[in-house]
Amino acid sequence: MELGIHRQVNNKHFKMKSHKYEIKVEWTGNEGNGTLNYTSYNRNHEIKSVGKYDAIHGSSDPSFLGDKSKYNPEDLFLSSITACHMLWYLHLCSVHKIIVTEYEDNATGTMMEDNNGSGRFTEVTLNPTVRISDKNRIQEAKELHEKANKMCFIANSCNFEIKHKPDIISD
């Protein structure tokens, strides 16, 4: 049975689709004493999902005694925003017949830590460099980043602004 929520927009009735995701996170950092104290364990873990190619090896940020060679939740959060935006952008370009030949984004994000140890991301800036085949469509290609941001599932789930500084070049 398909799950769905119904909504009405401009006197049209839409059935919203519901998508479910499952992830398994397994802590692999017990060094023999469990969580006896803050420094008695490491933060290593594996992120897995049925049918996926390989596990993601994670840890915490080195600021919180993590392994800097592994992805941390903050890295994965920023990469989720970046990848979702890119996928929407590529879709919109294909719909508008703008041919993208290269896409690279060096995104940045800032997380603020509170006095009690909690924290939150306060900003993310996407810095995509996009190569398109038609130099006459650079402005249109640039404008599609705003639409991609409005469509992005992850960006729509955030409680802060996601900024864009695209650089569009042509062949």
Short mmCIF file of all heavy atoms in Angstrom, two decimals, residues 1 5 7 10 15 18 21 32-34 49 54 58 67 70 86 89 93 95 107 120 125 127 129 144 150 165 171:
data_model
loop_
_atom_site.label_atom_id
_atom_site.label_comp_id
_atom_site.label_asym_id
_atom_site.label_seq_id
_atom_site.Cartn_x
_atom_site.Cartn_y
_atom_site.Cartn_z
N MET A 1 0.84 -1.19 0.00
CA MET A 1 0.00 0.00 0.00
C MET A 1 0.88 1.25 0.00
O MET A 1 1.78 1.38 0.80
CB MET A 1 -0.89 -0.02 1.24
CG MET A 1 -1.77 1.17 1.36
SD MET A 1 -2.86 0.97 2.81
CE MET A 1 -3.44 2.60 2.92
N ILE A 5 -0.02 11.68 1.45
CA ILE A 5 -0.70 12.78 2.11
C ILE A 5 -1.36 13.58 1.01
O ILE A 5 -0.79 13.76 -0.07
CB ILE A 5 0.32 13.66 2.87
CG1 ILE A 5 1.05 12.81 3.92
CG2 ILE A 5 -0.34 14.85 3.49
CD1 ILE A 5 2.24 13.51 4.53
N ARG A 7 -3.03 17.11 -0.47
CA ARG A 7 -3.05 18.56 -0.28
C ARG A 7 -3.69 19.20 -1.50
O ARG A 7 -3.75 18.62 -2.58
CB ARG A 7 -1.67 19.12 -0.03
CG ARG A 7 -0.78 19.16 -1.24
CD ARG A 7 0.51 19.86 -0.93
NE ARG A 7 1.35 19.80 -2.11
CZ ARG A 7 2.45 20.45 -2.26
NH1 ARG A 7 2.87 21.22 -1.30
NH2 ARG A 7 3.16 20.35 -3.36
N ASN A 10 -4.01 25.69 -5.47
CA ASN A 10 -4.70 26.37 -6.58
C ASN A 10 -5.91 25.57 -7.07
O ASN A 10 -6.08 25.35 -8.25
CB ASN A 10 -3.74 26.64 -7.74
CG ASN A 10 -2.64 27.60 -7.36
OD1 ASN A 10 -2.83 28.46 -6.50
ND2 ASN A 10 -1.48 27.45 -7.98
N LYS A 15 -1.96 14.19 -4.54
CA LYS A 15 -1.59 13.19 -3.56
C LYS A 15 -0.08 13.24 -3.45
O LYS A 15 0.64 13.05 -4.43
CB LYS A 15 -2.03 11.79 -3.98
CG LYS A 15 -1.67 10.74 -2.96
CD LYS A 15 -2.20 9.39 -3.36
CE LYS A 15 -1.81 8.40 -2.27
NZ LYS A 15 -2.24 7.05 -2.59
N SER A 18 4.90 9.46 -0.20
CA SER A 18 5.73 9.31 0.98
C SER A 18 6.84 8.32 0.67
O SER A 18 6.60 7.27 0.08
CB SER A 18 4.88 8.79 2.14
OG SER A 18 5.67 8.53 3.26
N TYR A 21 13.11 5.59 4.22
CA TYR A 21 14.51 5.22 4.09
C TYR A 21 14.93 4.48 5.35
O TYR A 21 14.46 4.78 6.44
CB TYR A 21 15.39 6.45 3.88
CG TYR A 21 14.99 7.21 2.64
CD1 TYR A 21 14.03 8.20 2.68
CD2 TYR A 21 15.55 6.88 1.42
CE1 TYR A 21 13.63 8.87 1.54
CE2 TYR A 21 15.15 7.54 0.27
CZ TYR A 21 14.20 8.53 0.33
OH TYR A 21 13.81 9.18 -0.80
N GLY A 32 37.47 -2.25 24.32
CA GLY A 32 37.60 -3.19 25.42
C GLY A 32 36.92 -2.77 26.70
O GLY A 32 36.54 -3.62 27.51
N ASN A 33 36.74 -1.48 26.91
CA ASN A 33 36.11 -1.00 28.14
C ASN A 33 34.80 -0.28 27.88
O ASN A 33 34.26 0.37 28.77
CB ASN A 33 37.06 -0.06 28.90
CG ASN A 33 38.27 -0.79 29.44
OD1 ASN A 33 38.13 -1.87 30.01
ND2 ASN A 33 39.45 -0.23 29.22
N GLY A 34 34.30 -0.36 26.66
CA GLY A 34 33.05 0.33 26.33
C GLY A 34 33.18 1.82 26.59
O GLY A 34 34.24 2.41 26.39
N SER A 49 23.31 0.22 4.38
CA SER A 49 21.93 0.11 3.94
C SER A 49 21.83 -1.11 3.02
O SER A 49 22.73 -1.37 2.22
CB SER A 49 21.51 1.37 3.19
OG SER A 49 20.15 1.30 2.85
N ASP A 54 28.71 -0.46 -0.55
CA ASP A 54 29.69 -0.57 0.51
C ASP A 54 29.25 0.27 1.69
O ASP A 54 28.42 1.17 1.56
CB ASP A 54 31.05 -0.08 -0.01
CG ASP A 54 32.23 -0.64 0.76
OD1 ASP A 54 32.02 -1.41 1.71
OD2 ASP A 54 33.37 -0.31 0.39
N GLY A 58 32.63 5.90 9.29
CA GLY A 58 32.49 7.19 9.93
C GLY A 58 33.13 7.26 11.30
O GLY A 58 33.54 6.25 11.87
N ASP A 67 38.23 10.25 14.35
CA ASP A 67 39.28 9.91 13.38
C ASP A 67 39.13 10.82 12.17
O ASP A 67 38.14 10.73 11.43
CB ASP A 67 39.13 8.44 12.99
CG ASP A 67 40.18 7.95 12.02
OD1 ASP A 67 40.84 8.78 11.35
OD2 ASP A 67 40.31 6.72 11.91
N LYS A 70 38.09 9.60 8.56
CA LYS A 70 36.75 9.06 8.30
C LYS A 70 35.73 10.20 8.22
O LYS A 70 35.93 11.27 8.75
CB LYS A 70 36.36 8.07 9.40
CG LYS A 70 37.23 6.82 9.42
CD LYS A 70 36.79 5.89 10.53
CE LYS A 70 37.46 4.54 10.49
NZ LYS A 70 38.86 4.48 10.35
N MET A 86 22.80 19.33 -6.48
CA MET A 86 23.38 18.99 -7.78
C MET A 86 22.42 18.15 -8.61
O MET A 86 22.22 18.41 -9.80
CB MET A 86 24.69 18.23 -7.60
CG MET A 86 25.32 17.80 -8.92
SD MET A 86 26.63 16.59 -8.74
CE MET A 86 25.69 15.16 -8.19
N TYR A 89 19.64 20.26 -9.86
CA TYR A 89 20.16 21.18 -10.88
C TYR A 89 20.34 20.46 -12.22
O TYR A 89 19.92 20.96 -13.26
CB TYR A 89 21.47 21.81 -10.41
CG TYR A 89 22.02 22.77 -11.41
CD1 TYR A 89 21.50 24.06 -11.53
CD2 TYR A 89 23.05 22.41 -12.26
CE1 TYR A 89 21.99 24.95 -12.46
CE2 TYR A 89 23.55 23.29 -13.20
CZ TYR A 89 23.01 24.56 -13.30
OH TYR A 89 23.49 25.44 -14.25
N CYS A 93 18.40 21.36 -15.67
CA CYS A 93 19.13 21.67 -16.91
C CYS A 93 18.68 20.75 -18.04
O CYS A 93 18.47 21.21 -19.16
CB CYS A 93 20.63 21.56 -16.69
SG CYS A 93 21.31 22.98 -15.78
N VAL A 95 15.79 19.28 -18.41
CA VAL A 95 14.42 19.68 -18.78
C VAL A 95 14.44 20.94 -19.64
O VAL A 95 13.66 21.08 -20.57
CB VAL A 95 13.55 19.88 -17.52
CG1 VAL A 95 12.23 20.58 -17.85
CG2 VAL A 95 13.29 18.55 -16.83
N ALA A 107 31.55 22.93 -1.45
CA ALA A 107 30.63 23.52 -0.49
C ALA A 107 31.30 23.75 0.85
O ALA A 107 32.23 23.03 1.23
CB ALA A 107 29.42 22.61 -0.32
N ARG A 120 24.48 23.50 16.09
CA ARG A 120 23.65 23.48 14.89
C ARG A 120 24.40 24.14 13.76
O ARG A 120 25.27 24.99 13.99
CB ARG A 120 22.33 24.21 15.13
CG ARG A 120 22.43 25.73 15.17
CD ARG A 120 21.25 26.42 15.77
NE ARG A 120 20.89 26.02 17.09
CZ ARG A 120 21.55 26.32 18.21
NH1 ARG A 120 22.65 27.02 18.13
NH2 ARG A 120 21.12 25.92 19.38
N THR A 125 27.12 27.28 2.20
CA THR A 125 27.28 27.95 0.92
C THR A 125 27.73 26.93 -0.10
O THR A 125 28.74 26.24 0.10
CB THR A 125 28.29 29.11 0.99
OG1 THR A 125 27.86 30.05 1.99
CG2 THR A 125 28.41 29.82 -0.35
N ASN A 127 29.20 26.23 -3.76
CA ASN A 127 30.09 26.93 -4.69
C ASN A 127 30.30 26.09 -5.95
O ASN A 127 31.43 25.71 -6.27
CB ASN A 127 31.44 27.19 -4.00
CG ASN A 127 31.29 28.06 -2.78
OD1 ASN A 127 30.97 29.23 -2.90
ND2 ASN A 127 31.52 27.49 -1.62
N THR A 129 30.91 24.90 -9.67
CA THR A 129 31.47 25.31 -10.95
C THR A 129 30.86 24.37 -11.98
O THR A 129 31.01 23.15 -11.89
CB THR A 129 33.01 25.19 -10.96
OG1 THR A 129 33.53 26.05 -9.94
CG2 THR A 129 33.58 25.60 -12.32
N LEU A 144 18.97 28.73 -12.72
CA LEU A 144 18.39 27.44 -12.35
C LEU A 144 18.86 26.96 -10.98
O LEU A 144 18.24 26.09 -10.37
CB LEU A 144 18.66 26.38 -13.41
CG LEU A 144 17.83 26.51 -14.68
CD1 LEU A 144 18.25 25.45 -15.71
CD2 LEU A 144 16.34 26.39 -14.37
N LYS A 150 14.99 25.48 -4.35
CA LYS A 150 13.59 25.38 -3.93
C LYS A 150 13.06 23.96 -4.05
O LYS A 150 12.12 23.58 -3.35
CB LYS A 150 12.73 26.34 -4.75
CG LYS A 150 13.00 27.78 -4.41
CD LYS A 150 12.19 28.72 -5.28
CE LYS A 150 12.57 30.16 -4.95
NZ LYS A 150 11.98 31.11 -5.86
N LYS A 165 26.84 30.37 -4.75
CA LYS A 165 27.78 31.21 -5.48
C LYS A 165 28.24 30.43 -6.71
O LYS A 165 29.38 29.98 -6.78
CB LYS A 165 28.97 31.60 -4.60
CG LYS A 165 28.58 32.47 -3.43
CD LYS A 165 29.79 32.83 -2.61
CE LYS A 165 29.39 33.69 -1.42
NZ LYS A 165 30.54 33.95 -0.56
N ASP A 171 32.01 25.62 -22.83
CA ASP A 171 33.08 24.95 -23.60
C ASP A 171 33.70 25.90 -24.60
O ASP A 171 33.16 26.85 -25.04
CB ASP A 171 32.51 23.73 -24.33
CG ASP A 171 32.12 22.64 -23.35
OD1 ASP A 171 32.70 22.57 -22.26
OD2 ASP A 171 31.20 21.86 -23.70
#
